[in-house]
Amino acid sequence: MPRRPRVVIADDQELVRTGFRMILTARGIDVVAEAADGAEAVAAAVTHRPDVALLDIRMPTMDGLEGARRILAQVPHCRVIMLTTFDLDHYVYAALAAGASGFLLKDVTSAHLAAAVRLVDTGDALLAPSITRRLVERFAAGAPGPSSTGSPAPHRDLAPLTPREAEVLALLGRGLSNAELAEELTLSESTVKTHVARIFAKLNLRDRAQAVVLAYETGLVTPGGPGRGRGEPRSRRAQLS
């Protein structure tokens, strides 16, 4: 039997919550609680210890961003997906910086919604690194990061990394996949995976989305500029310039 992720849904619109619950339940995903604002979402997450929390960004009393920060602080194993009405909403950067594993538009298809929940439940990031990179490049210069929102990131110090790991993180920040990292660094994919796993462990990162955000926040990569690694594979340089 496939794993049945346990989910909390938070949205101030009851019809949205009901629709999402029906979609997920029909696809073998357990909705353990619903919430109308961020405060209710935090309480539900602490009580039910879900695998995934679906949080609307804009909610009364406590918004989804603060809800995400508190849930991730109190239920560390939980993954957070932010819900937004507008594509490339400026809140997306703050959501990723707060530890969210990705975001979805509210007009997401039923199949995509269920697939997204299952994806982040496996420990992966919902956004492709290249998409995350574009979001960060667009908003990093003016968007508030964790340090300015009262929730400083404990992993901003890159001192624990070896020079090779710092190089890998810089390339992760540019949106490279494991296969592209292996080609660029002339390493096997298994060696690259080992480096990535060690980076995540040393810096307390949840997934590649957080790695991209951190690479920009620490200046390892700058918007519109190359990282401090050896660059990007030729096949990607033109399309990312």
Side-chain angles (χ1 to χ4, degrees):
M1 291 290 292
R3 172 183 166 83
R4 297 177 66 95
R6 302 173 70 255
V7 178
V8 165
I9 300 173
D11 193 291
D12 59 332
Q13 299 180 54
E14 184 178 1
L15 287 178
V16 172
R17 299 197 307 270
T18 299
F20 280 10
R21 173 172 50 79
M22 293 175 65
I23 289 169
L24 295 176
T25 301
R27 285 163 172 76
I29 296 172
D30 295 330
V31 176
V32 297
E34 298 179 25
D37 59 50
E40 290 184 8
V42 174
V46 170
T47 298
H48 297 281
R49 317 294 290 184
D51 302 301
V52 179
L54 287 171
L55 305 180
D56 185 18
I57 289 180
R58 296 167 178 167
M59 292 186 289
T61 308
M62 180 190 294
D63 65 19
L65 294 175
E66 183 60 27
R69 295 185 189 101
R70 296 193 186 190
I71 288 173
L72 293 172
Q74 298 182 58
V75 190
H77 76 273
C78 183
R79 301 278 171 159
V80 171
I81 298 175
M82 306 302 301
L83 301 169
T84 180
T85 305
F86 305 103
D87 193 10
L88 295 180
D89 189 309
H90 70 279
Y91 288 113
V92 170
Y93 170 79
L96 294 173
S101 294
F103 78 103
L104 289 172
L105 298 181
K106 285 190 179 181
D107 62 358
V108 62
T109 65
S110 300
H112 192 182
L113 175 64
V117 169
R118 292 191 181 280
L119 178 67
V120 300
D121 182 48
T122 66
D124 206 345
L126 177 57
L127 292 176
S130 58
I131 297 175
T132 308
R133 178 187 57 78
R134 290 188 180 96
L135 288 170
V136 174
E137 284 201 352
R138 180 166 177 174
F139 298 114
S147 60
S148 61
T149 57
S151 301
H155 50 257
R156 294 185 61 145
D157 183 4
L158 303 183
L161 300 184
T162 65
R164 173 64 91 182
E165 289 166 351
E167 187 175 25
V168 170
L169 178 58
L171 295 175
L172 282 175
R174 301 304 302 169
L176 273 66
S177 66
N178 283 347
E180 291 166 331
L181 281 165
E183 178 185 356
E184 175 69 13
L185 299 174
T186 319
L187 299 171
S188 68
E189 282 198 52
S190 61
T191 299
V192 167
K193 290 178 181 178
T194 298
H195 283 310
V196 171
R198 287 175 178 168
I199 291 169
F200 285 8
K202 287 181 177 181
L203 302 182
N204 193 28
L205 298 174
R206 292 173 175 269
D207 50 44
R208 297 172 82 97
Q210 272 201 313
V212 173
V213 171
L214 180 64
Y216 280 88
E217 288 192 336
T218 57
L220 198 61
V221 177
T222 57
R228 293 179 191 166
R230 291 166 55 190
E232 296 168 2
R234 292 188 183 91
S235 62
R236 294 180 62 91
R237 283 178 184 141
Q239 73 182 72
L240 296 181
S241 61

